[in-house]
Amino acid sequence: MSDQNKNTEGFIPQHGGYRNLFSYQKAEIIYDGTVYFTNRFFHKYDRTVGQMVQAARSGKQNIVEGSMASGTSKEMEIKLTNVAQASLEELLIDYEDFLRTQKLPIWGKDHRLVARVRELNKSTPTPTYETFQKAIEHESPEIVANSMITLIKICTYLLNQQIKQLEIAFVKEGGLRERMTRTRIEERKKKP
């Protein structure tokens, strides 16, 4: 199935297209980076590995599910996008816990390497894992974890903006029932 369903007629609008969302693109990088991080800095059977990978996966997958549900339920899209944001926030805390328990600093937003990750994000039209690979796969756990925190903060910011836009769209366009009712009324007006 393609990632975008097209319906130019009827009351179910175009939906899907999640691969074009900046939030999804960042969430995919975060998932891949988290898999790399946990494989490298935790023991294979440490419960934290599964929890972190699952939080990263949940962030990514809920963006997909929300995007696909958007055609028939704006409410579900908003809820799932919020779940994605909450999952990534949970993951952010896991990275902060790692740094704190390892007695490593958590960088502030004005740290020079945080600025560098943000700069890479802004200056690259479509950033990928490779864009941030040097930071994600750096030998220093401090650099890796703080880079992942920065990416998560970028993604949760994007998801927050996305939720605001979804709210505006819902207020303007309504939900499926309202579109169905409008379509029926328009159809009735066409009949003599």
Side-chain angles (χ1 to χ4, degrees):
M1 180 180 237
S2 75
D3 67 352
Q4 184 162 7
N5 293 334
K6 296 185 179 195
N7 181 11
T8 55
E9 298 175 16
F11 49 80
I12 299 177
Q14 288 187 2
H15 58 285
Y18 54 87
R19 290 186 193 277
N20 298 321
L21 294 171
F22 293 135
S23 60
Y24 175 81
Q25 294 165 6
K26 298 296 177 294
E28 187 173 68
I29 295 165
I30 291 164
Y31 174 79
D32 293 350
T34 299
V35 169
Y36 179 85
F37 180 86
T38 55
N39 284 337
R40 183 160 168 215
F41 295 110
F42 289 96
H43 295 290
K44 185 177 181 180
Y45 298 108
D46 189 325
R47 288 185 62 199
T48 306
V49 171
Q51 291 169 333
M52 288 181 74
V53 170
Q54 184 53 41
R57 182 183 183 282
S58 176
K60 180 172 75 71
Q61 297 303 104
N62 277 290
I63 294 168
V64 173
E65 193 173 348
S67 178
M68 294 309 297
S70 70
T72 55
S73 178
K74 284 291 175 200
E75 179 184 1
M76 184 63 69
E77 182 181 19
I78 292 167
K79 283 181 182 179
L80 291 168
T81 304
N82 191 59
V83 170
Q85 186 178 27
S87 294
L88 292 173
E89 193 68 33
E90 175 187 341
L91 180 62
L92 179 130
I93 298 300
D94 285 330
Y95 279 107
E96 288 179 348
D97 289 347
F98 173 84
L99 288 166
R100 191 181 62 258
T101 60
Q102 298 297 311
K103 309 241 184 293
L104 297 169
I106 299 170
W107 300 342
K109 64 181 179 181
D110 45 350
H111 190 281
R112 67 179 180 81
L113 294 176
V114 169
R116 178 67 182 134
V117 171
R118 288 182 172 170
E119 179 188 319
L120 280 172
N121 180 61
K122 285 183 180 178
S123 65
T124 309
T126 310
T128 63
Y129 182 89
E130 289 71 27
T131 306
F132 306 100
Q133 187 170 3
K134 284 174 85 173
I136 294 171
E137 296 183 8
H138 197 277
E139 64 186 36
S140 165
E142 177 186 340
I143 290 174
V144 178
N146 276 293
S147 297
M148 292 301 296
I149 287 171
T150 303
L151 288 169
I152 292 166
K153 286 181 177 182
I154 290 168
C155 191
T156 56
Y157 170 81
L158 291 170
L159 287 167
N160 188 50
Q161 297 305 304
Q162 195 172 326
I163 290 167
K164 287 179 182 176
Q165 291 303 311
L166 292 170
E167 290 172 352
I168 292 167
F170 179 78
V171 169
K172 284 183 179 178
E173 301 160 19
L176 178 64
R177 289 180 194 264
E178 290 157 310
R179 290 192 307 270
M180 290 170 70
T181 301
R182 277 194 302 266
T183 303
R184 291 270 304 156
I185 290 169
E186 288 171 15
E187 189 62 30
R188 285 182 186 156
K189 287 179 182 176
K190 291 179 186 176
K191 293 182 180 177

